Amino acid sequence: MDQNELTCFLVLAEELHFGRTATRLHLSRARVSQLIQKLERRVGAPLFTRTSRSVALTTLGSRLRDDLEPHHRGIENALARAVTSARGIEGVLHVGFSTPLAGEMVMKATEKLRTLHPELTVEVCEVPFSDPYGMLRRGEFDLQLTDFPVHESDLTRGPTLLAEDRVLAISTGHHLAGRDSVTLEDLAEVPLLTIAGDIPGYWREHRLPTHTPSGRPIASGPSVTNFQEALTLVAGGNGALLAGAHVALYHGRPGISYVPVEGDMPLGYNLMWRAGGGNRAIELFGRTAREVARDMAPADPRRALPR
């Protein structure tokens, strides 16, 4: 049986109007009439009663509509799922984020995708402070939005989405807390917290340098395994921490000052996935994240810093 005849019949059974049916199907009214007549000849009886003012289903037409609708809907749904699967955007995409700013970008991209591509489910999770790439390597994430630099040969990086300056999180009782800004040379005056875990050397040196640019040693403070633990130690005067400027807005709390760092390289945020593991879902998330990032202004380390 001709699929066009069935589709035309079901649309006319819903609209009960040849003009509206023609418009929906992008056909002429004459073509709609032709298809319905062919189907009626195939069935052997009228499916509609027609007058100059109305169109109505016959008893046989109503029964045929009721029998056909669930099967026709099932075929359309199956075809839609096949198209979606062929495009590689069906199923669940697991996305990690490394900081609250990265988390905000990921959640905004997820909300946008939920509206535009409901067939794709996005699940998000925070990247462990002490294991920045392990979950991605083990396949627990399909991709992650993280702060750079990253130099991992088995991981692929996308373009920079957003950049922000860094601040020094330091106890309000420390003499550096009263300054309008500090430099990397000033880090010789306060111990920096260290991170326990499987941390690459370049990652550790960028975030937790052991020497200033001129070579002066920077003391090491206690080691931590998560960000909240780090902030607790900072507030207690047990060390300081270099972080993105956004933490001043997300983690304002008593006992901590966030002082802008002058002369430092900005932190860039990029998407990252396993080498050779890209797919259409990852590409789609990447495009959406770029759109979201364009609407997000980078944090200003001088604006409303908690003191």
Side-chain angles (χ1 to χ4, degrees):
M1 185 172 287
D2 191 332
Q3 179 70 24
N4 293 327
E5 293 175 17
L6 296 181
T7 300
C8 188
F9 166 73
L10 289 171
V11 174
L12 183 58
E14 180 182 341
E15 294 288 352
L16 296 177
H17 191 281
F18 278 83
R20 290 194 296 269
T21 298
T23 298
R24 276 182 58 178
L25 297 177
H26 304 288
L27 300 172
S28 67
R29 292 183 62 158
R31 179 58 177 162
V32 170
S33 295
Q34 184 184 46
L35 289 170
I36 295 301
Q37 289 168 7
K38 284 178 64 178
L39 181 59
E40 288 177 329
R41 287 196 297 271
R42 192 186 304 276
V43 170
L47 300 173
F48 297 91
T49 59
R50 309 161 177 85
T51 70
S52 60
R53 298 187 177 208
S54 66
V55 177
L57 282 162
T58 63
T59 301
L60 179 61
S62 295
R63 186 162 63 246
L64 181 61
R65 177 201 58 195
D66 294 343
D67 289 342
L68 284 177
E69 268 189 335
H71 301 289
H72 188 265
R73 188 163 51 247
I75 291 172
E76 288 186 330
N77 290 340
L79 287 172
R81 286 193 295 270
V83 170
T84 296
S85 182
R87 291 175 178 171
I89 56 174
E90 184 182 37
V92 180
L93 189 67
H94 299 273
V95 183
F97 63 90
S98 62
T99 70
L101 180 60
E104 182 180 350
M105 282 192 280
V106 165
M107 291 308 300
K108 286 183 176 180
T110 299
E111 288 298 320
K112 193 167 186 177
L113 284 171
R114 183 175 293 127
T115 300
L116 298 176
H117 294 275
E119 70 277 6
L120 177 64
T121 300
V122 180
E123 295 184 358
V124 303
C125 182
E126 187 173 6
V127 175
F129 201 46
S130 57
D131 187 14
Y133 313 124
M135 294 184 73
L136 182 60
R137 283 195 170 103
R138 293 191 296 271
E140 296 174 53
F141 296 148
D142 297 301
L143 74 165
Q144 69 183 51
L145 182 55
T146 194
D147 46 318
F148 273 57
V150 173
H151 307 294
E152 304 293 316
S153 61
D154 61 331
L155 301 176
T156 300
R157 59 172 289 177
T160 299
L161 300 177
L162 195 68
E164 65 171 347
D165 293 328
R166 286 201 292 183
V167 296
L168 181 68
I170 193 167
S171 168
T172 54
H174 195 279
H175 70 275
L176 292 178
R179 295 190 183 182
D180 291 333
S181 65
V182 296
T183 68
L184 293 175
E185 287 297 325
D186 293 322
L187 299 182
E189 301 179 31
V190 59
L192 289 182
L193 299 179
T194 59
I195 299 176
D198 184 18
I199 308 297
Y202 69 85
W203 194 99
R204 189 185 301 272
E205 184 59 29
H206 178 71
R207 292 161 178 78
L208 310 165
T210 56
H211 291 81
T212 69
S214 69
R216 298 165 63 197
I218 300 173
S220 296
S223 63
V224 297
T225 58
N226 60 73
F227 196 69
Q228 290 303 323
E229 180 183 4
L231 292 180
T232 299
L233 290 174
V234 169
N238 296 306
L241 183 71
L242 284 171
H246 73 275
V247 301
L249 305 176
Y250 287 88
H251 293 288
R253 57 185 291 176
I256 298 180
S257 291
Y258 296 98
V259 187
V261 180
E262 296 288 348
D264 191 20
M265 291 292 292
L267 285 177
Y269 286 84
N270 308 64
L271 283 169
M272 183 170 63
W273 57 94
R274 292 181 298 282
N279 56 42
R280 292 294 298 278
I282 287 177
E283 292 174 7
L284 177 62
F285 191 93
R287 289 198 300 271
T288 307
R290 287 194 291 275
E291 294 170 2
V292 166
R294 283 196 292 267
D295 297 331
M296 292 180 63
D300 182 350
R302 290 180 174 77
R303 180 165 56 89
L305 288 180
R307 294 288 186 182

